[in-house]
Coordinates of all heavy atoms in Angstrom, one line a residue:
G221 N 12.0 22.9 -33.9 CA 11.8 21.8 -34.9 C 11.8 20.4 -34.3 O 11.9 19.5 -35.0
A223 N 9.2 19.4 -32.4 CA 7.7 19.1 -32.1 C 6.9 19.8 -33.2 O 7.5 20.7 -33.8 CB 7.3 19.4 -30.7
Y224 N 5.7 19.5 -33.3 CA 4.9 20.2 -34.3 C 3.4 20.2 -33.9 O 3.0 19.5 -33.0 CB 5.1 19.5 -35.7 CG 4.7 18.0 -35.7 CD1 3.4 17.6 -36.0 CD2 5.7 17.1 -35.4 CE1 3.1 16.3 -36.0 CE2 5.4 15.7 -35.3 CZ 4.1 15.3 -35.6 OH 3.7 14.0 -35.6
Y225 N 2.7 21.1 -34.6 CA 1.2 21.3 -34.3 C 0.5 20.2 -35.2 O 0.9 20.0 -36.3 CB 0.7 22.6 -34.7 CG 1.4 23.8 -34.1 CD1 2.1 24.7 -34.8 CD2 1.4 24.0 -32.7 CE1 2.8 25.8 -34.3 CE2 2.0 25.1 -32.1 CZ 2.7 25.9 -32.9 OH 3.4 27.0 -32.3
A226 N -0.5 19.6 -34.6 CA -1.3 18.7 -35.4 C -2.8 19.0 -35.2 O -3.2 19.2 -34.1 CB -1.0 17.2 -35.0
F227 N -3.5 19.0 -36.3 CA -4.9 19.4 -36.3 C -5.9 18.3 -36.6 O -7.0 18.5 -36.7 CB -5.1 20.5 -37.4 CG -4.4 21.8 -37.1 CD1 -3.1 22.0 -37.6 CD2 -4.9 22.8 -36.3 CE1 -2.4 23.1 -37.3 CE2 -4.2 24.0 -36.1 CZ -2.9 24.1 -36.6
D228 N -5.4 17.1 -36.7 CA -6.2 15.9 -37.1 C -7.4 15.8 -36.1 O -7.3 15.9 -34.9 CB -5.4 14.6 -37.0 CG -4.0 14.8 -37.7 OD1 -4.0 14.7 -38.9 OD2 -3.0 15.1 -37.0
E232 N -10.2 11.5 -38.4 CA -9.0 11.4 -39.3 C -8.0 10.4 -38.7 O -7.4 9.6 -39.4 CB -8.4 12.7 -39.5 CG -9.1 13.6 -40.6 CD -8.8 15.1 -40.5 OE1 -8.2 15.6 -39.5 OE2 -9.1 15.7 -41.5
L233 N -7.9 10.5 -37.4 CA -6.9 9.6 -36.7 C -7.4 8.1 -36.8 O -6.6 7.2 -37.0 CB -6.8 10.0 -35.2 CG -6.0 11.3 -35.0 CD1 -6.1 11.8 -33.6 CD2 -4.5 11.1 -35.4
M236 N -6.7 6.8 -40.1 CA -5.3 6.4 -40.3 C -5.1 5.0 -39.7 O -4.4 4.2 -40.3 CB -4.4 7.4 -39.6 CG -3.0 6.9 -39.5 SD -1.8 8.0 -38.8 CE -1.9 7.6 -37.1
R239 N -6.4 2.3 -41.9 CA -5.5 2.1 -43.1 C -4.3 1.3 -42.7 O -3.9 0.4 -43.4 CB -5.1 3.5 -43.6 CG -6.0 4.2 -44.6 CD -5.3 5.2 -45.5 NE -4.4 6.2 -44.8 CZ -4.9 7.3 -44.1 NH1 -6.2 7.5 -44.1 NH2 -4.1 8.1 -43.5
L240 N -3.7 1.7 -41.6 CA -2.5 1.0 -41.2 C -2.8 -0.5 -40.9 O -2.0 -1.4 -41.2 CB -1.8 1.7 -40.0 CG -1.2 3.0 -40.4 CD1 -0.8 3.8 -39.1 CD2 0.1 2.8 -41.2
Q249 N 0.7 3.6 -35.8 CA 1.0 4.8 -35.0 C 1.3 6.0 -35.9 O 1.6 5.9 -37.0 CB 2.2 4.5 -34.1 CG 3.4 4.0 -34.8 CD 4.6 3.7 -33.9 OE1 4.4 3.6 -32.7 NE2 5.7 3.4 -34.5
Y250 N 1.4 7.1 -35.2 CA 1.7 8.4 -35.8 C 3.2 8.5 -35.7 O 3.7 8.6 -34.6 CB 1.0 9.5 -34.9 CG 0.6 10.7 -35.6 CD1 -0.7 11.2 -35.7 CD2 1.6 11.6 -36.2 CE1 -1.1 12.3 -36.3 CE2 1.2 12.7 -36.8 CZ -0.1 13.1 -36.9 OH -0.5 14.3 -37.5
N251 N 3.9 8.4 -36.8 CA 5.4 8.4 -36.7 C 6.0 9.1 -37.9 O 5.3 9.7 -38.7 CB 5.9 7.0 -36.5 CG 5.6 6.1 -37.6 OD1 5.3 6.6 -38.7 ND2 5.6 4.8 -37.4
A252 N 7.3 8.9 -38.0 CA 8.1 9.6 -39.0 C 7.5 9.4 -40.4 O 7.6 10.3 -41.3 CB 9.5 9.2 -39.0
I253 N 6.9 8.3 -40.6 CA 6.4 8.0 -42.0 C 5.0 8.5 -42.1 O 4.7 9.3 -43.0 CB 6.5 6.5 -42.3 CG1 7.9 6.1 -42.2 CG2 5.8 6.2 -43.6 CD1 8.2 4.6 -42.2
T254 N 4.1 8.1 -41.2 CA 2.7 8.4 -41.3 C 2.4 9.9 -41.1 O 1.5 10.5 -41.7 CB 1.8 7.6 -40.3 OG1 2.4 7.8 -39.0 CG2 1.9 6.2 -40.7
R255 N 3.3 10.6 -40.4 CA 3.0 12.0 -40.1 C 2.9 12.8 -41.4 O 2.2 13.8 -41.4 CB 4.0 12.6 -39.1 CG 5.4 12.8 -39.7 CD 6.3 13.6 -38.8 NE 6.9 13.0 -37.6 CZ 8.2 12.6 -37.5 NH1 9.1 12.9 -38.4 NH2 8.6 12.1 -36.4
M256 N 3.6 12.4 -42.4 CA 3.6 13.1 -43.6 C 2.3 13.0 -44.4 O 2.1 13.8 -45.4 CB 4.8 12.7 -44.5 CG 6.1 13.0 -43.9 SD 6.2 14.6 -43.0 CE 6.3 15.7 -44.3
Q257 N 1.4 12.1 -44.0 CA 0.1 12.1 -44.7 C -1.0 12.7 -43.8 O -2.2 12.6 -44.1 CB -0.3 10.6 -44.9 CG 0.5 9.9 -45.9 CD 1.0 8.5 -45.4 OE1 0.2 7.8 -44.7 NE2 2.2 8.2 -45.7
M258 N -0.6 13.3 -42.7 CA -1.6 13.8 -41.8 C -1.7 15.3 -41.8 O -0.9 16.0 -42.5 CB -1.3 13.3 -40.4 CG -1.3 11.8 -40.2 SD -2.8 10.9 -40.8 CE -3.9 11.3 -39.4
R259 N -2.7 15.9 -41.1 CA -2.9 17.3 -41.1 C -2.1 18.0 -40.0 O -2.6 18.0 -38.9 CB -4.4 17.5 -40.9 CG -4.9 18.8 -41.5 CD -6.4 18.9 -41.3 NE -7.1 17.9 -42.1 CZ -7.4 18.0 -43.4 NH1 -7.0 19.0 -44.1 NH2 -8.1 17.0 -44.0
N260 N -0.9 18.4 -40.3 CA -0.1 19.0 -39.2 C 0.9 20.1 -39.8 O 0.9 20.3 -41.0 CB 0.7 17.9 -38.5 CG 1.5 17.1 -39.5 OD1 2.2 17.6 -40.3 ND2 1.4 15.8 -39.4
S261 N 1.6 20.8 -38.9 CA 2.4 21.9 -39.4 C 3.6 21.5 -40.2 O 4.3 22.3 -40.7 CB 2.8 22.8 -38.2 OG 3.5 22.0 -37.2
L262 N 3.8 20.1 -40.4 CA 4.9 19.7 -41.2 C 4.4 19.5 -42.7 O 5.1 19.6 -43.6 CB 5.4 18.3 -40.7 CG 6.0 18.3 -39.3 CD1 6.4 16.9 -38.9 CD2 7.2 19.3 -39.2
T263 N 3.1 19.3 -42.8 CA 2.5 19.0 -44.1 C 1.7 20.3 -44.6 O 1.4 20.3 -45.8 CB 1.5 17.8 -44.1 OG1 0.5 18.1 -43.2 CG2 2.3 16.6 -43.7
M264 N 1.3 21.2 -43.7 CA 0.5 22.3 -44.1 C 1.4 23.5 -44.4 O 2.5 23.7 -43.8 CB -0.5 22.6 -43.0 CG -1.6 21.6 -42.9 SD -2.4 21.5 -41.3 CE -3.1 23.1 -41.2
K265 N 0.9 24.4 -45.2 CA 1.6 25.7 -45.4 C 1.5 26.5 -44.1 O 0.5 26.5 -43.4 CB 1.0 26.5 -46.5 CG 1.1 25.8 -47.9 CD 1.1 26.9 -48.9 CE 1.4 26.3 -50.3 NZ 0.4 25.4 -50.8
E268 N -1.6 28.5 -43.6 CA -2.8 27.7 -43.3 C -2.8 27.4 -41.8 O -3.8 27.4 -41.1 CB -2.8 26.4 -44.1 CG -4.1 25.7 -44.1 CD -4.1 24.4 -44.8 OE1 -3.2 24.1 -45.6 OE2 -4.9 23.5 -44.5
R282 N 2.7 17.6 -31.0 CA 3.2 16.3 -31.0 C 4.8 16.3 -31.0 O 5.4 17.2 -31.7 CB 2.7 15.5 -32.2 CG 1.3 15.0 -32.1 CD 1.0 14.1 -33.3 NE -0.4 13.7 -33.2 CZ -0.8 12.6 -32.6 NH1 0.1 11.8 -32.1 NH2 -2.1 12.3 -32.6
L283 N 5.4 15.3 -30.4 CA 6.8 15.1 -30.5 C 7.2 14.7 -31.9 O 6.6 13.7 -32.4 CB 7.2 14.1 -29.5 CG 8.7 13.7 -29.4 CD1 9.5 14.9 -28.8 CD2 8.9 12.5 -28.6
K284 N 8.3 15.3 -32.4 CA 8.7 14.8 -33.7 C 9.8 13.7 -33.5 O 11.0 14.0 -33.4 CB 9.3 16.0 -34.5 CG 9.5 15.7 -36.0 CD 9.9 17.0 -36.7 CE 10.5 16.7 -38.0 NZ 11.3 17.8 -38.5
T285 N 9.4 12.5 -33.3 CA 10.3 11.4 -33.0 C 11.3 11.2 -34.2 O 10.8 11.1 -35.3 CB 9.5 10.1 -32.8 OG1 8.4 10.4 -31.9 CG2 10.3 9.0 -32.2
P286 N 12.5 11.1 -33.9 CA 13.5 10.8 -34.9 C 13.3 9.5 -35.6 O 12.8 8.5 -34.9 CB 14.8 10.9 -34.2 CG 14.5 10.6 -32.8 CD 13.2 11.1 -32.5
R287 N 13.6 9.4 -36.9 CA 13.3 8.1 -37.6 C 14.3 7.0 -37.2 O 13.9 5.9 -37.0 CB 13.4 8.4 -39.1 CG 13.0 7.2 -39.9 CD 12.5 7.6 -41.2 NE 12.1 6.4 -41.9 CZ 12.0 6.4 -43.2 NH1 12.3 7.4 -43.9 NH2 11.7 5.3 -43.8
D309 N 6.2 6.4 -30.9 CA 5.4 7.2 -31.8 C 5.4 8.7 -31.4 O 6.0 9.1 -30.4 CB 4.0 6.7 -32.0 CG 3.2 6.5 -30.8 OD1 3.8 6.8 -29.7 OD2 2.0 6.2 -30.9
D310 N 4.9 9.5 -32.3 CA 4.9 10.9 -32.1 C 3.8 11.3 -31.0 O 2.7 11.8 -31.3 CB 4.5 11.7 -33.4 CG 5.6 11.6 -34.4 OD1 6.7 11.0 -34.1 OD2 5.5 12.2 -35.5

Side-chain angles (χ1 to χ4, degrees):
Y224 57 91
Y225 304 115
F227 295 89
D228 314 279
E232 284 164 340
L233 289 169
M236 167 178 92
R239 272 201 313 278
L240 288 169
Q249 57 182 8
Y250 209 121
N251 61 18
I253 298 169
T254 54
R255 70 167 78 110
M256 296 321 287
Q257 291 132 38
M258 303 302 288
R259 206 176 293 282
N260 54 49
S261 54
L262 301 174
T263 59
M264 288 155 64
K265 291 208 173 66
E268 198 188 336
R282 283 183 183 271
L283 177 71
K284 193 174 162 198
T285 310
R287 187 154 178 202
D309 60 352
D310 287 2

